[in-house]
Amino acid sequence: MMREPGPFSDSLSTPQPERVGRAAISYRPSASILTRASGFMSDYDYTLNPYVGCAFGCTYCYAASFVRTLDQRDHWGEWVEVKENALAKLRNMRTDLRDKTIYMSSVTDPYQLVERRLGLVRDLLAILAERGARLVVQTRSPLVTRDLDLYARFTHVRINMTVTTDSERVRRIFEPQCPPNAARLNAIAAVCRANIPCSITLTPLLPVEDVDAFATALCATEVDDFVVQPFHAERGRFVAGTREPALALIRDLGWDHVAYRRTVDRLRAVLPHLAEGRAGFRPQ
Ligand code: SF4
């Protein structure tokens, strides 16, 4: 089957953006596009990260610990590297991808702002669908709905939307560059309506201000599967300047292990299916 060229293919011959939003964009070749999965993701065959770095810049992001330089870590959220040879690498891979399980993405968000400009993920999806891969997509971005036509081509696919709180106040402190909570819920509801398998991942679960209203909003998406995981302030990695406001908010809202457990128990009583931790991230 012929693959429609996406905007990334087209952009190879046109000037590439050097800045999108507050993030500096650079372009580097990568040794590979699929990485053998390990650790938390070891239930998968591969992870796929089209970008290095993430302009969503969540203050607690563990991926910031895996970067090459201290400068990159300290400026997490302000830079993104595009794997400029990602399409060629995937296209030329000889490995049979039929029924191989792939998690996109483990250390970046595939649908961050730069993707809207480049369309790299869109082109990667067309190849993965054609080659019969089994895909799980993890994002915080409504942009995922742009590619519903491609997701419909997969035999096995799941889209996970991360929603960490009901509160825009909490979201702005921990995830200041991420899309608002309501936009994420609307997007995953659209995925659900398109009959693409999907989940909402409450990971990490940040302070929730009104648990009952939150549960109602989650159920209104008509998503059936939810995953929750705790946020540990003492283990969280806050980027410079956010630690104090974040910790103060956690203290104000009394968000500790007891509050987490109480919130999870109330959500579990209402949500159709709530898995906890790694079990909820297994391949489809
Ligand atoms: S969206 Fe994901 S990868 Fe990006 S900063 Fe937030 S936690 Fe990290």
Side-chain angles (χ1 to χ4, degrees), residues 11-277:
S11 73
L12 294 176
S13 55
T14 55
Q16 314 267 332
E18 292 178 358
R19 179 161 291 279
V20 175
R22 64 175 198 145
I25 312 296
S26 59
Y27 300 81
R28 286 172 182 269
S30 177
S32 61
I33 184 60
L34 294 181
T35 306
R36 279 271 166 213
S38 60
F40 191 81
M41 287 296 138
S42 57
D43 291 330
Y44 289 79
D45 293 304
Y46 299 103
T47 57
L48 192 167
N49 290 282
Y51 303 108
V52 180
C54 183
F56 283 160
C58 305
T59 62
Y60 50 76
C61 182
Y62 66 89
S65 310
F66 301 138
V67 293
R68 285 192 304 272
T69 69
L70 279 179
D71 190 57
Q72 285 183 325
R73 194 194 65 184
D74 292 344
H75 293 93
W76 182 251
E78 297 170 24
W79 56 273
V80 177
E81 291 174 5
V82 180
K83 295 183 179 176
E84 63 181 4
N85 57 345
L87 273 185
K89 282 280 175 192
L90 187 60
R91 205 179 285 121
N92 297 334
M93 238 182 120
R94 297 199 172 180
T95 313
D96 182 4
L97 293 182
R98 188 154 303 277
D99 289 331
K100 291 286 185 294
T101 53
I102 299 175
Y103 184 84
M104 178 176 83
S105 297
S106 55
V107 289
T108 190
D109 191 310
Y111 285 106
Q112 56 185 300
L113 270 186
V114 69
E115 171 58 25
R116 190 183 294 280
R117 294 283 296 279
L118 297 183
L120 171 57
V121 166
R122 188 165 171 80
D123 278 355
L124 292 170
L125 286 176
I127 299 174
L128 292 173
E130 212 172 279
R131 296 184 60 179
R134 302 168 71 112
L135 183 68
V136 170
V137 177
Q138 187 78 43
T139 186
R140 284 163 170 73
S141 172
L143 182 58
V144 69
T145 58
R146 178 197 66 184
D147 295 335
L148 288 179
D149 59 326
L150 292 176
Y151 289 120
R153 297 182 189 175
F154 283 80
T155 309
H156 296 282
V157 69
R158 175 166 293 267
I159 296 173
N160 290 343
M161 178 64 73
T162 304
V163 180
T164 54
T165 177
D166 61 334
S167 161
E168 279 301 290
R169 182 165 68 113
V170 172
R171 200 268 308 158
R172 275 193 288 269
I173 288 199
F174 290 90
E175 304 172 350
Q177 308 301 324
C178 286
N181 300 319
R184 300 188 218 178
L185 291 176
N186 289 339
I188 201 66
V191 173
C192 198
R193 280 197 303 276
N195 290 321
I196 306 292
C198 54
S199 309
I200 294 179
T201 54
L202 310 161
T203 56
L205 189 65
L206 299 175
V208 174
E209 289 182 349
D210 183 336
V211 183
D212 294 329
F214 189 37
T216 301
L218 293 171
C219 287
T221 62
E222 302 204 0
V223 170
D224 285 334
D225 290 305
F226 295 82
V227 185
V228 69
Q229 213 166 253
F231 169 74
H232 296 298
E234 63 275 20
R235 290 217 303 263
R237 186 208 160 273
F238 297 105
V239 294
T242 59
R243 174 175 281 274
E244 278 320 310
L247 291 179
L249 186 60
I250 286 171
R251 278 193 299 270
D252 285 356
L253 295 172
W255 192 247
D256 56 15
H257 295 277
V258 175
Y260 167 80
R261 184 47 52 195
R262 197 170 46 229
T263 302
V264 170
D265 289 347
R266 282 169 68 188
L267 290 173
R268 191 185 298 288
V270 179
L271 301 179
H273 179 253
L274 180 63
E276 233 174 316

